[in-house]
Amino acid sequence: MKYEEMKGKANISTMVQFIFQGFSDLPKLQGVLFGLFVIIYMMVLIGNGLIIIVTRFDPVLQKPMYFFLANFSSLEICYVSVTLPRMLKDLWTQDRSISKAECAFQMYCFITLGATECFLLAVMSYDRYVAICNPLHYPLVMNHRTCVQLAVGSWIGGIPLQIWQTSQIFSLNFCHSKEIKHFFCDILPVLKLACGNTFLQEVTLYVAALIIVVAPFMLILVSYSKIIWTILQLPTATGRAKAFSTCSSHLMVVLLFFVSATITYLMPKSTQSSGIDKLLSLFYTTVTPMFNPMIYSLRNKDVIAALKKLFLKISGFGSVVIA
């Protein structure tokens, strides 16, 4: 019996890498999935890159709303780059192993950027609240210094908590299996591999979810309840439509992100399956960042006009070179 215990402890100590399950249950679709995710990644980079360019250089878009939009597009590129390149590598090489250190780093980057997205969406809703509910004070309240402070706070606000959370998870011993039933190192799939008592880590996860997901979402709900009430008080239908159009895109992005994230991290573990986890994670880690530039550009006349000017400059430059 003592020999078996010593052997078990040795197995725990030698577990220095994990293996992603990924999409290994779809062996005939590996090439198709690789091509699909390459297209998605390129769309995310190009779409969000264009938003960053036009909001940075177009004089019409030098407003707080577009400053935060540029930050959001930068975040989406970083967010997707944490998971998709690794997933593409696994599909291409069929080597789905990852070291414990790499897994910890990927998890830390992912959950930190996820926290940034929650905070930044809340900041963007506050910006819309001030613009619609207090338009006369908007230039004073949302001055450049305040915008920079809010953006920096969103980027770094979740770092201490996520360092602590990641270190707590990877201080555990992993003995159940080496296979992570996911396509990246997310918290719940990694926790399922831990042996021993994970109660403290699970409590930490729910506390972090309340602080990082629920609290910003409640702030967004409060902001939009006041925004909607203010819009309904406007005297003309044209004024109401114009006011609502400035925040409808952001509201769509909020719903897409928070609904899937809330289901993933706050739904009881006993009711979740790895298939549902992967589907929801694919939705908010790849699909939502791909559609966000389309949502913001197609529903915003200023962004459409700025993109048209950019394309005209590019095509005009090209014709000069050809001539």
Side-chain angles (χ1 to χ4, degrees):
M1 187 69 177
K2 289 183 178 179
Y3 170 76
E4 290 178 358
E5 289 178 0
M6 290 175 65
K7 186 178 178 182
K9 289 180 180 178
N11 287 339
I12 292 171
S13 63
T14 56
M15 186 180 284
V16 294
Q17 70 174 12
F18 300 102
I19 297 173
F20 291 125
Q21 183 187 65
F23 302 97
S24 59
D25 52 339
L26 302 169
K28 296 182 179 179
L29 297 177
Q30 299 295 294
V32 174
L33 289 171
F34 178 83
L36 176 63
F37 289 131
V38 166
I39 292 170
I40 290 174
Y41 192 41
M42 294 305 297
M43 290 178 69
V44 170
L45 294 178
I46 294 170
N48 286 286
L50 287 172
I51 295 291
I52 294 169
I53 291 170
V54 297
T55 53
R56 175 66 180 84
F57 294 106
D58 194 293
V60 178
L61 303 184
Q62 303 308 302
K63 301 174 183 177
M65 174 182 175
Y66 300 110
F67 170 77
F68 292 124
L69 180 56
N71 272 268
F72 189 72
S73 293
S74 302
L75 172 65
E76 294 293 66
I77 291 174
C78 296
Y79 194 54
V80 173
S81 296
V82 170
T83 56
L84 255 183
R86 174 75 206 198
M87 195 194 320
L88 291 171
K89 177 259 180 188
D90 294 344
L91 286 168
W92 181 259
T93 64
Q94 294 300 303
D95 176 13
R96 299 187 300 277
S97 62
I98 185 171
S99 71
K100 191 175 177 181
E102 288 175 323
C103 187
F105 182 69
Q106 186 187 52
M107 180 186 290
Y108 164 73
C109 291
F110 178 77
I111 59 180
T112 301
L113 291 171
T116 299
E117 181 146 0
C118 293
F119 295 149
L120 197 54
L121 286 171
V123 167
M124 292 169 77
S125 71
Y126 174 71
D127 170 70
R128 292 298 84 208
Y129 159 74
V130 177
I132 293 172
C133 300
N134 297 288
L136 296 178
H137 296 94
Y138 182 66
L140 181 64
V141 175
M142 299 303 293
N143 58 67
H144 181 69
R145 182 179 178 181
T146 300
C147 291
V148 171
Q149 289 174 340
L150 289 171
V152 171
S154 298
W155 280 95
I156 68 174
I159 289 177
L161 179 59
Q162 303 305 3
I163 290 176
W164 181 54
Q165 190 171 13
T166 304
S167 61
Q168 271 208 331
I169 291 170
F170 282 90
S171 66
L172 294 167
N173 291 319
F174 299 94
C175 54
H176 292 167
S177 170
K178 291 201 301 182
E179 185 181 56
I180 299 174
K181 294 184 177 180
H182 216 309
F183 55 87
F184 69 97
C185 288
D186 202 1
I187 296 173
L188 292 175
V190 172
L191 265 182
K192 288 177 182 178
L193 304 184
C195 53
N197 189 356
T198 61
F199 177 76
L200 178 61
Q201 286 74 20
E202 290 176 28
V203 169
T204 302
L205 171 61
Y206 284 110
V207 170
L210 288 172
I211 295 171
I212 291 170
V213 179
V214 177
F217 187 62
M218 295 305 295
L219 289 172
I220 291 169
L221 287 181
V222 171
S223 296
Y224 272 101
S225 63
K226 293 185 176 182
I227 287 170
I228 292 170
W229 174 255
T230 302
I231 290 174
L232 292 175
Q233 305 305 307
L234 295 176
T236 64
T238 304
R240 290 193 293 269
K242 184 178 180 180
F244 189 73
S245 67
T246 64
C247 56
S248 58
S249 300
H250 177 254
L251 188 56
M252 289 175 64
V253 172
V254 165
L255 292 175
L256 286 172
F257 178 78
F258 275 100
V259 170
S260 55
T262 301
I263 293 172
T264 300
Y265 292 104
L266 294 179
M267 193 166 69
K269 287 172 64 177
S270 59
T271 63
Q272 288 178 301
S273 68
S274 61
I276 293 174
D277 280 348
K278 284 194 282 189
L279 185 62
L280 286 170
S281 297
L282 270 177
F283 187 76
Y284 71 81
T285 59
T286 58
V287 177
T288 302
M290 179 181 66
F291 283 118
N292 282 349
M294 301 179 197
I295 293 171
Y296 276 110
S297 60
L298 293 177
R299 300 182 64 85
N300 190 300
K301 293 179 180 179
D302 290 338
V303 175
I304 291 174
L307 287 170
K308 285 180 178 178
K309 283 194 286 184
L310 177 64
F311 289 134
L312 285 173
K313 284 183 180 180
I314 293 172
S315 61
F317 178 78
S319 63
V320 170
V321 172
I322 293 170

